[in-house]
Amino acid sequence: MEREGITAMKSHEKKPVNPAKSIDSLQGLFQILKKSKDFITLSPPFNSLSIRISYFRTLVDANILHQDVLSYLSGRSFSSLQDVQAVLSFGTSKVTEQVEVIQKSVLNGYILIQLNESDSSCLLIDISKIEGRDITKPEIEFNILAPKLAFVEKLDTNLNLLRRKLLTPYLRVEQLEVGYLSNTAVAVVYIEGIANDQNVKEIIKRVSSIETDHVFDSSYLVRTIVDNPNSMFQQFISTERPDRVAAILAEGKIALLVDGSPFVITLPTTLIEFFSTAEDYSIPWIVASFFRALRVFSVLFSVLTTPLYVAIITYHYELIPKELLETLVVSRSKIPFPPVIEALVLEVVIELLREAGARLPTKVGLTVGIVGGIVIGQAAVEASLTSNVLIIIIALSALASFTTPIYSMGNTIRVIRFPFIFAAQLLGLLGIVIASAFLLTHLLRTKSLGRPYLSPFYPTRLSDWKDSIIRMPLISMNRRPLAASAKQPIRFNSEKAKKNRTSPRSDFDD
Amino acid sequence: MKKVPIEYQISPYMVFFLVNSMQIGVGLLGFERISAKLAGNDAWISTLLSGLSINVMIWMIYKILNQGKGNIVAIHHDVFGKWIGGAFSLIFLFYLLVTGATILRTYIEVVQVWMFSIMPTWILVGIFLILCYYIVSGGFRVVAGICFFGVLLPSTLAFTFFFPLQFADFRNLFPIMQHSFKEIIKGMQGNLFSYFGFETLLVYYTFIKNPKKSQKFAHYGALVTTAVYTYLMILSLVFFSEKQLASAIWAYLSMSKIIQFSFIERFEYILISFWAFVILPNVVLTLWGVSRGMRETFGMKQKYILPILILFIFILTILLDDRNKVNLISTWVGKSGFIIVYIYLPVLWLIQSLQIKFRRQT
Amino acid sequence: MKRWMVWLIIGVLLTGCDQTKVVDDIDLVQVAAYDLEEDNLKGTFAISTYTKEGEGQPEIYTASGKTSKQILALASEKSSKPLELGQLRVIVFDKDLAKKGLKEILDTMNRMPNVGNLIYLAISNGKAETILRGSYTKEKGISNYLPSLIEQNITYGILPETNLYLFLNQLYDDARDSYLPIVSNKGNILKIDGIALFKGYTMVDSITAKDLFIFKVLTDKFYRGTYQFKLPGTPDNYAVIENIKAKTKYKMKGNSKYPFIDARIQVKGKIQEFTERKNLENPKEVQKLESVMEEELERQAAKLIERFIAKGTDPLGLRKFGRVHTRKWNDKEWAESYKHLRFQVTADVKIIQSGVTE
């Protein structure tokens, strides 16, 4: 008996405290809500009935309350809540007895109208006021030749932006709630008939099985449901651009919108998607391909140059050509540290500058950059603490890491440099190769919503290569990427598109 | 025999990469020497012949596998019964395992001789085996992915095949067919071992979607290997003089010593390091194959077998501490491979075919 | 199981570092020289000292010993940092040493993986050490000057292509002999003096710089270099031709017992300098000039080949032509018949341009 008692107690302790669940009557709810100062209960004196209106002062629009609710109620008498509902012509109003619904609605800015204090059924009317900022330009994913709209924190506004981009009845929005404290609204958006049903089911299953108290951002939410949470590589794309989300939805992928977050998550994704921008599709394909390739190259450059410097200077001096030998030896000659320490110190300094710049307001951040870049760099070289060759290398590789359009991928790239530097110190060039093999294996093992991350390279989908490192002409993309495993793979009729294209003829063709 | 779930399987075209990556390995760095010793300037003919004979063997392996239900373990079980069949499977798997260990050890030796002369073997082997564990524990698709990239990434090094041409003296090849047919056949001994590795096909066969469709890809893979090896044989014959080639342990590396760019000298260091990508599929696929085979023989989980296998390779490679021992085991592996591929497999095919005929009649 | 992996990783990280060779913590030997000193071998190693102002005077370390490896070790005892051969670019040998044979040193160099294959070998006219010790201009220490000198003369000049790989290749090939450039220094100038001819590992003869053009025509196919022809008639009448494309085609007739070599020299060039005023627009004049040049080339080439035969060396690889083109080749017969080889040289000169002025 005693034992059982103990185990029961233990299991009780482990359970998360979830006060909301314990409320089962309207009375109980009122008792809890009344403890808050901003919860108001009115019993207007203007009519004989004991009508009672309750709401959160901070959540409702006082103007609407006064003009459209109280003024209509005064001087009338009602026999039922349906009468009240008929008088107050609001779109979203409902009569219910369910405590859970009542609780949720009140917390969302509904007013609660009861005819009698003891009535268990009540009328709920939405006059909520949501504070938030206006729509602004995208700041993190800035594009020059693309729409200049970014998502904001309001879910409804975001959905509005999205619906405006895709005026189709098949755009489906499924709404879920996550977090027993925050009760955050999460919208799963996809295009019915194009998105893969299995993916949709999987994502809804994963979102609804989240166990947490509150959610403050979309990336926070998704971190808990990705395939491999220990991976440094994001297995989803978080973007602030409605145009990008619309394009991704049209490919047959799924978007997740979280209330309170200006970032929309799209799934499944592939590694190469992180290097594409909306702009790529609005400039000529040869130019776009060049920039794509440049971005991919810059990743390799950013990850590999510092380790290569460490490896070659530490172990493989044979590789240095005659002309460069002098420069390298001279720049290294007075430096007291081994190359690896030199490189690590400088890498950390660059990271410090970046972090400081990111945390400070824009104007001060600029100063930090100047101070760090010019003053510290110059002084370090003059004091023979670092070689100027390495400063060039590290500055360039930091620059290269900023070319990735998706911010968080840039962070990943900067972090994976460090294991590479250690590997280079350990085994020289061989160490770099082994570290690359580890990275490659990791990418091979990573999956996004159960789909391979390295697609279209492995598993090889040659038809997807036309929108990977290069971007082929838009007319060739008549099929949706296989990586999205869309239900309807054909995007448009390429034959028709080709026929409709008007190209000028010359005498050569006739 | 339980069927392999489709989400673990690979597309038939992947067999091209699996076969090719298993064949091209450490052998490429120095197979030329022994052939050249035995067949002189006609060694390239033996290389070509070996490659073609390998294709015949692949054809036969597909015959065996298509007839049987499942991979080599299942076929052994079918043909010889539980105990004898199991023993045969174990011998085959042991051979595979030792092959993997030998390849790894040979590569480590190259690294030690050319780059890190005082680096202890166990560290290099240890790092490699950790990597291998990480790959194999990802499942067959990850292993196949490594094989895929193990062909794709090193193929960017193909340009190194053309640099030595600037010093090529094609007169070295003439007169053609100066050596007797017997000498040329003997010369095959020198390079046959480099072609081995494709026999892992016997294990991963059940992991191919539409295995019958994959046969042509296996042949393509082997043909590409043949072309590469024959080309390299010719290249080293025209690049080196005969005696020089006979004394060059790693002919390909010695050749790559002349590659020079304005921004990088001594390209062979990059080549050796990059070669890790070529070696990796060899070790990983044998490790996966052996652990899978053991799993099917003993019914143990691969999760528990793999650490034991890795420990075995670790110890074996440490025991091989000088050039002579490495040479000895290479010869042993080459001979066993020859026996298994050219003698045992045809016999197996014969017995299997007879048995199937017999069963049909009764 | 995860735990043993963690331990293995830690173990590797703790013990993993190989002996590092940080580029500024080692002394990079860029030019090495070997001299014969009675019965000892003397090695001299030049190490460039780089400073911010440019290349200073190289540090020189010398040591004597029996084997090249031992010499390196002995020299390393004198230096502040370990001597490393990975950036070696030229090895200079003393003439006496070359006459005695270079087998031991070259085999050692070939065995060492960190010594490149494209390094140059050279023979010094005097002591090899003096070439390293000479003081050259400040921007050009010996370690930059000597390799550039040889490289430049191979690509743009009339020095036949040589390097360690080619030397060894020809050496191991029983069908041809090799050759190396000869350098000497005068004051602060280095100079190519000619070519040393080898038979096996030993030097047997040398050719002066004057004959280098002909030599290169006979051995290499090349595109640059100039040659000065003396024209008949007045004593100081010369024509200088700049080579555009030159090569020699060999044919062997007969068999290994009675061989006959037919060498056809082809030179395409443009007139660079012409002391006599003649109208080169006139095709007849050009033809005349061409035939004069052809005669000169034939005579010089024949002289050289006769010299090779007399010394018993085969830098042209004639044996190889024989072996390739002749059935039933017999090496022993050839060795005998080479001593009185019959041959014929025909030259074909084509002047295709005469500059921008008439």
Side-chain angles (χ1 to χ4, degrees):
Chain A
M1 272 303 278
E2 216 182 292
R3 266 190 112 119
E4 266 176 33
I6 289 167
T7 48
M9 251 179 78
K10 268 191 179 162
S11 66
H12 177 73
E13 274 172 7
K14 270 184 188 168
K15 257 191 181 165
V17 192
N18 191 345
K21 290 266 156 63
S22 56
I23 302 170
D24 44 12
S25 73
L26 199 55
Q27 298 305 326
L29 179 66
F30 267 103
Q31 260 177 18
I32 293 166
L33 293 180
K34 268 181 185 161
K35 287 178 190 163
S36 294
K37 267 251 168 100
D38 57 347
F39 186 72
I40 311 278
T41 304
L42 291 176
S43 296
F46 41 70
N47 55 21
S48 51
L49 282 165
S50 59
I51 196 164
R52 193 167 78 150
I53 305 169
S54 321
Y55 57 92
F56 271 105
R57 180 168 53 82
T58 44
L59 288 179
V60 301
D61 195 324
N63 285 339
I64 301 176
L65 179 68
H66 291 128
Q67 285 172 13
D68 300 339
V69 179
L70 295 182
S71 58
Y72 280 93
L73 291 180
S74 64
R76 293 174 193 229
S77 60
F78 304 100
S79 56
S80 71
L81 281 172
Q82 273 71 20
D83 291 349
V84 183
Q85 197 173 8
V87 170
L88 301 174
S89 49
F90 281 93
T92 40
S93 60
K94 55 196 166 196
V95 179
T96 183
E97 280 182 36
Q98 286 168 314
V99 180
E100 224 170 286
V101 177
I102 295 168
Q103 178 197 333
K104 203 179 280 172
S105 307
V106 169
L107 287 171
N108 264 322
Y110 285 58
I111 53 167
L112 184 150
I113 301 174
Q114 288 162 297
L115 288 181
N116 279 308
E117 205 168 314
S118 52
D119 278 2
S120 63
S121 76
C122 42
L123 173 66
L124 295 161
I125 297 171
D126 180 12
I127 56 163
S128 64
K129 182 177 72 177
I130 304 175
E131 296 291 351
R133 62 188 170 96
D134 294 331
I135 297 169
T136 52
K137 280 184 183 178
E139 280 182 356
I140 293 159
E141 251 186 292
F142 183 75
N143 278 175
I144 297 161
L145 290 175
K148 303 238 181 295
L149 273 183
F151 286 121
V152 291
E153 283 78 2
K154 281 184 248 177
L155 180 62
D156 285 346
T157 317
N158 292 349
L159 283 173
N160 168 289
L161 289 175
L162 213 52
R163 276 226 183 262
R164 285 270 158 220
K165 290 262 169 201
L166 295 164
L167 296 173
T168 163
Y170 295 106
L171 184 74
R172 280 274 300 271
V173 179
E174 308 253 354
Q175 197 141 340
L176 301 162
E177 255 173 38
V178 178
Y180 62 80
L181 283 184
S182 63
N183 285 315
T184 314
V186 176
V188 178
V189 182
Y190 58 95
I191 299 177
E192 206 175 357
I194 293 178
N196 186 301
D197 291 340
Q198 218 184 331
N199 284 353
V200 176
K201 244 183 241 161
E202 176 73 23
I203 208 158
I204 290 175
K205 199 186 97 196
R206 285 193 196 181
V207 171
S208 48
S209 65
I210 293 176
E211 277 292 322
T212 185
D213 56 346
H214 89 296
V215 170
F216 68 87
D217 187 59
S218 54
S219 299
Y220 175 88
L221 173 97
V222 176
R223 290 245 169 260
T224 58
I225 60 163
V226 288
D227 302 61
N228 181 4
N230 293 327
S231 175
M232 269 200 280
F233 287 86
Q234 264 196 166
Q235 294 139 48
F236 55 88
I237 284 193
S238 68
T239 175
E240 55 169 356
R241 305 184 60 91
D243 51 336
R244 185 172 190 138
V245 177
I248 290 172
L249 284 177
E251 281 181 352
K253 294 179 182 173
I254 300 158
L256 261 180
L257 282 78
V258 176
D259 193 23
S261 165
F263 291 99
V264 173
I265 305 294
T266 62
L267 288 161
T269 185
T270 57
L271 183 63
I272 203 74
E273 212 183 334
F274 286 89
F275 303 105
S276 70
T277 65
E279 209 171 38
D280 285 350
Y281 300 93
S282 44
I283 53 180
W285 68 273
I286 297 176
V287 182
S289 302
F290 174 76
F291 287 138
R292 281 268 180 96
L294 185 77
R295 279 181 223 129
V296 173
F297 166 77
S298 76
V299 173
L300 293 178
F301 182 87
S302 174
V303 173
L304 292 178
T305 33
T306 319
L308 276 176
Y309 173 86
V310 172
I312 290 174
I313 296 287
T314 314
Y315 289 108
H316 310 292
Y317 68 93
E318 294 97 336
L319 252 69
I320 305 167
K322 188 168 70 177
E323 292 78 12
L324 256 179
L325 188 65
E326 188 177 341
T327 324
L328 284 175
V329 173
V330 169
S331 81
R332 277 273 320 156
S333 59
K334 276 187 183 156
I335 290 148
F337 314 115
V340 63
I341 303 289
E342 193 193 349
L344 283 176
V345 167
L346 267 187
E347 286 281 6
V348 170
V349 166
I350 287 266
E351 287 310 298
L352 284 178
L353 281 174
R354 190 195 54 76
E355 192 69 17
R359 299 285 156 251
L360 286 167
T362 330
K363 280 173 190 159
V364 189
L366 216 73
T367 328
V368 169
I370 293 166
V371 169
I374 298 172
V375 181
I376 301 180
Q378 184 76 16
V381 171
E382 299 235 317
S384 290
L385 289 177
T386 52
S387 63
N388 34 22
V389 176
L390 185 64
I391 287 213
I392 298 169
I393 288 176
I394 289 197
L396 281 181
S397 61
L399 184 69
S401 75
F402 289 119
T403 57
T404 355
I406 303 281
Y407 177 72
S408 57
M409 188 47 89
N411 288 342
T412 308
I413 288 161
R414 277 195 301 280
V415 174
I416 53 175
R417 269 210 295 253
F418 288 93
F420 271 82
I421 293 175
F422 282 117
Q425 167 64 16
L426 212 61
L427 281 175
L429 287 176
L430 183 64
I432 295 177
V433 172
I434 289 179
S436 321
F438 265 108
L439 180 63
L440 183 65
T441 313
H442 177 75
L443 291 175
L444 279 171
R445 291 177 66 140
T446 304
K447 290 194 166 157
S448 170
L449 208 64
R451 310 278 164 192
Y453 198 50
L454 273 187
S455 172
F457 305 108
Y458 178 80
T460 322
R461 309 256 182 264
L462 282 178
S463 60
D464 278 9
W465 284 33
K466 54 186 178 241
D467 191 14
S468 59
I469 294 179
I470 48 166
R471 181 187 79 74
M472 293 302 278
L474 292 174
I475 197 152
S476 71
M477 294 182 200
N478 60 325
R479 289 176 158 271
R480 301 206 157 81
L482 290 167
S485 52
K487 212 169 162 188
Q488 171 55 268
I490 292 167
R491 202 178 252 178
F492 57 83
N493 189 336
S494 66
E495 292 298 311
K496 229 175 174 178
K498 263 180 207 154
K499 222 192 269 168
N500 293 349
R501 197 160 53 167
T502 47
S503 57
R505 292 175 74 84
S506 73
D507 59 329
F508 187 72
D509 303 312
D510 290 321
Chain B
M1 186 66 223
K2 251 197 342 200
K3 207 151 160 31
V4 177
I6 197 153
E7 69 255 35
Y8 299 150
Q9 288 187 324
I10 53 163
S11 311
Y13 76 88
M14 280 301 297
V15 174
F16 172 86
F17 295 99
L18 289 169
V19 167
N20 191 261
S21 68
M22 276 308 285
Q23 288 189 317
I24 292 183
V26 82
L28 190 74
L29 299 177
F31 74 97
E32 295 93 340
R33 182 173 58 118
I34 303 161
S35 283
K37 258 188 194 165
L38 296 168
N41 63 356
D42 290 327
W44 64 274
I45 302 176
S46 1
T47 314
L48 188 64
L49 286 179
S50 304
L52 296 178
S53 77
I54 291 293
N55 267 297
V56 176
M57 287 301 136
I58 288 179
W59 173 80
M60 200 189 66
I61 285 181
Y62 267 94
K63 282 276 168 209
I64 298 175
L65 288 168
N66 288 344
Q67 271 182 19
K69 301 174 193 76
N71 59 11
I72 185 84
V73 177
I75 289 171
H76 274 151
H77 191 275
D78 261 18
V79 175
F80 299 112
K82 191 181 174 192
W83 291 104
I84 303 171
F88 274 139
S89 298
L90 279 188
I91 292 170
F92 177 72
L93 295 176
F94 181 74
Y95 155 76
L96 275 189
L97 188 62
V98 176
T99 313
T102 313
I103 290 167
L104 183 60
R105 180 66 188 99
T106 318
Y107 175 65
I108 300 287
E109 191 194 356
V110 174
V111 170
Q112 283 171 329
V113 169
W114 289 73
M115 284 163 77
F116 300 109
S117 47
I118 60 166
M119 180 77 79
T121 313
W122 70 269
I123 288 179
L124 289 168
V125 174
I127 292 173
F128 255 90
L129 289 177
I130 292 170
L131 178 57
C132 291
Y133 181 85
Y134 187 49
I135 295 167
V136 177
S137 60
F140 184 64
R141 278 194 158 195
V142 175
V143 170
I146 288 292
C147 292
F148 174 75
F149 284 106
V151 173
L152 213 65
L153 295 177
S155 65
T156 54
L157 289 178
F159 73 91
T160 60
F161 291 177
F162 303 103
F163 269 81
L165 284 177
Q166 56 177 315
F167 291 118
D169 186 351
F170 283 95
R171 292 175 300 178
N172 287 352
L173 290 179
F174 298 97
I176 295 175
M177 290 298 283
Q178 195 184 23
H179 295 78
S180 67
F181 189 65
K182 206 177 149 194
E183 278 174 310
I184 289 175
I185 294 292
K186 256 191 175 169
M188 286 169 68
Q189 278 176 24
N191 52 51
L192 216 45
F193 172 50
S194 319
Y195 281 105
F196 286 161
F198 64 92
E199 62 273 19
T200 38
L201 185 62
L202 288 165
V203 185
Y204 62 73
Y205 179 78
T206 46
F207 276 75
I208 308 167
K209 283 177 210 160
N210 254 331
K212 276 178 192 157
K213 244 189 192 168
S214 70
Q215 183 168 3
K216 67 174 181 204
F217 291 106
H219 284 296
Y220 292 156
L223 283 174
V224 168
T225 319
T226 312
V228 168
Y229 275 149
T230 310
Y231 175 76
L232 268 184
M233 192 72 229
I234 293 175
L235 189 66
S236 35
L237 283 172
V238 298
F239 183 83
F240 293 108
S241 40
E242 213 174 302
K243 278 186 200 156
Q244 206 177 4
L245 181 57
S247 70
I249 302 179
W250 294 290
Y252 177 47
L253 285 181
S254 297
M255 274 196 278
S256 64
K257 268 181 119 170
I258 60 135
I259 300 170
Q260 207 177 52
F261 299 103
S262 57
F263 53 93
I264 216 152
E265 283 184 3
R266 312 295 300 282
F267 194 76
E268 73 267 24
Y269 288 89
I270 295 177
L271 193 79
I272 295 168
S273 310
F274 219 69
W275 216 253
F277 270 129
V278 181
I279 300 306
L280 215 49
N282 288 271
V283 184
V284 168
L285 193 55
T286 43
L287 266 176
W288 179 87
V290 175
S291 57
R292 178 77 198 178
M294 300 264 264
R295 175 205 154 139
E296 280 167 22
T297 324
F298 295 122
M300 261 163 84
K301 273 188 183 161
Q302 261 167 297
K303 205 157 89 175
Y304 304 117
I305 302 169
L306 188 61
I308 302 169
L309 298 181
I310 282 181
L311 198 68
F312 175 81
I313 291 190
F314 189 65
I315 293 167
L316 185 65
T317 41
I318 289 172
L319 290 179
L320 301 169
D321 53 357
D322 63 40
R323 167 116 211 107
N324 280 336
K325 287 183 194 162
V326 176
N327 258 344
L328 206 71
I329 197 144
S330 299
T331 335
W332 183 86
V333 166
K335 273 182 188 158
S336 330
F338 181 79
I339 293 170
I340 287 178
V341 173
Y342 284 88
I343 299 172
Y344 173 66
L345 285 181
V347 171
L348 178 69
W349 183 34
L350 204 71
I351 298 175
Q352 189 200 28
S353 308
L354 287 177
Q355 219 173 34
I356 287 172
K357 237 183 202 171
F358 184 71
R359 274 184 200 159
R360 239 183 243 153
Q361 279 171 358
T362 53
Chain C
M1 192 190 58
K2 281 265 159 66
R3 192 166 294 163
W4 68 259
M5 267 183 35
V6 172
W7 283 118
L8 196 54
I9 292 168
I10 290 172
V12 165
L13 287 176
L14 287 179
T15 49
C17 291
D18 191 70
Q19 189 183 20
T20 57
K21 291 172 184 168
V22 181
V23 72
D24 54 321
D25 293 341
I26 49 177
D27 271 340
L28 300 172
V29 178
Q30 300 207 333
V31 181
Y34 289 97
D35 282 301
L36 192 66
E37 205 175 49
E38 279 139 36
D39 55 343
N40 260 355
L41 205 57
K42 186 180 180 193
T44 313
F45 305 97
I47 287 126
S48 332
T49 46
Y50 295 116
T51 56
K52 282 218 166 96
E53 290 76 45
E55 208 176 317
Q57 265 306 308
E59 285 171 44
I60 307 267
Y61 296 102
T62 57
S64 302
K66 291 282 179 203
T67 61
S68 55
K69 260 277 165 179
Q70 186 205 3
I71 293 169
L72 188 67
L74 286 174
S76 220
E77 283 173 8
K78 297 175 188 168
S79 66
S80 57
K81 301 169 191 168
L83 296 184
E84 285 287 339
L85 290 182
Q87 284 278 350
L88 191 63
R89 295 180 194 278
V90 184
I91 311 176
V92 188
F93 298 100
D94 174 19
K95 223 176 199 172
D96 298 330
L97 182 62
K99 279 176 184 156
K100 205 180 155 217
L102 304 172
K103 186 171 178 21
E104 193 269 329
I105 299 174
L106 290 182
D107 279 352
T108 315
M109 292 294 169
N110 192 28
R111 197 173 284 276
M112 279 195 279
N114 61 347
V115 174
N117 242 345
L118 292 180
I119 64 173
Y120 298 116
L121 306 177
I123 307 294
S124 72
N125 241 338
K127 280 276 166 212
E129 193 185 338
T130 57
I131 288 190
L132 267 63
R133 288 204 185 269
S135 62
Y136 307 98
T137 47
K138 202 165 187 186
E139 303 81 54
K140 283 187 197 165
I142 178 76
S143 45
N144 199 355
Y145 190 12
L146 186 56
S148 309
L149 174 85
I150 299 176
E151 189 185 346
Q152 181 272 117
N153 272 297
I154 288 174
T155 26
Y156 303 111
I158 48 174
L159 198 61
E161 189 157 17
T162 62
N163 55 40
L164 177 63
Y165 153 72
L166 280 174
F167 187 81
L168 289 171
N169 191 12
Q170 292 160 355
L171 205 65
Y172 279 109
D173 195 343
D174 55 356
R176 70 184 299 186
D177 291 307
S178 42
Y179 38 82
L180 292 176
I182 302 176
V183 288
S184 67
N185 66 336
K186 204 173 228 176
N188 58 358
I189 294 295
L190 282 170
K191 191 170 147 255
I192 304 253
D193 264 358
I195 282 277
L197 298 178
F198 281 74
K199 191 178 180 182
Y201 283 97
T202 50
M203 173 179 161
V204 289
D205 195 11
S206 61
I207 294 173
T208 53
K210 178 164 98 334
D211 291 327
L212 272 181
F213 184 83
I214 310 281
F215 188 81
K216 194 167 183 178
V217 170
L218 288 176
T219 53
D220 293 12
K221 179 180 173 183
F222 72 114
Y223 300 93
R224 288 216 172 90
T226 51
Y227 188 72
Q228 176 183 289
F229 292 95
K230 190 176 178 320
L231 300 178
T234 44
D236 46 354
N237 211 353
Y238 292 101
V240 176
I241 184 168
E242 190 183 312
N243 171 33
I244 288 174
K245 191 177 173 187
K247 64 177 177 189
T248 307
K249 271 188 182 168
Y250 295 93
K251 259 193 189 140
M252 178 161 299
K253 289 167 184 162
N255 53 30
S256 51
K257 202 161 188 180
Y258 304 106
F260 180 77
I261 296 285
D262 183 15
R264 285 169 192 277
I265 300 173
Q266 291 173 346
V267 177
K268 271 186 196 168
K270 59 180 179 187
I271 289 290
Q272 280 275 300
E273 205 176 328
F274 198 41
T275 48
E276 208 176 357
R277 298 287 336 153
K278 261 188 188 159
N279 185 9
L280 288 177
E281 285 285 284
N282 187 349
K284 270 193 187 155
E285 290 290 340
V286 175
Q287 260 175 25
K288 223 164 141 189
L289 193 65
E290 280 173 357
S291 64
V292 169
M293 290 176 173
E294 279 164 10
E295 264 171 47
E296 163 109 1
L297 275 179
E298 280 165 14
R299 204 178 56 242
Q300 297 288 351
K303 232 164 81 185
L304 270 183
I305 296 175
E306 268 163 22
R307 197 161 161 187
F308 301 152
I309 294 171
K311 296 284 178 184
T313 166
D314 185 9
L316 308 180
L318 294 177
R319 174 188 278 193
K320 207 159 203 170
F321 290 104
R323 198 188 277 171
V324 172
H325 295 297
T326 318
R327 287 262 157 204
K328 290 182 190 163
W329 180 260
N330 186 328
D331 276 345
K332 270 183 197 149
E333 278 178 6
W334 168 261
E336 200 49 46
S337 59
Y338 187 69
K339 284 175 189 161
H340 22 78
L341 180 73
R342 293 174 307 135
F343 66 92
Q344 187 196 353
V345 184
T346 41
D348 177 20
V349 177
K350 246 200 163 88
I351 294 169
I352 53 174
Q353 291 169 23
S354 56
V356 289
T357 53
E358 217 183 79

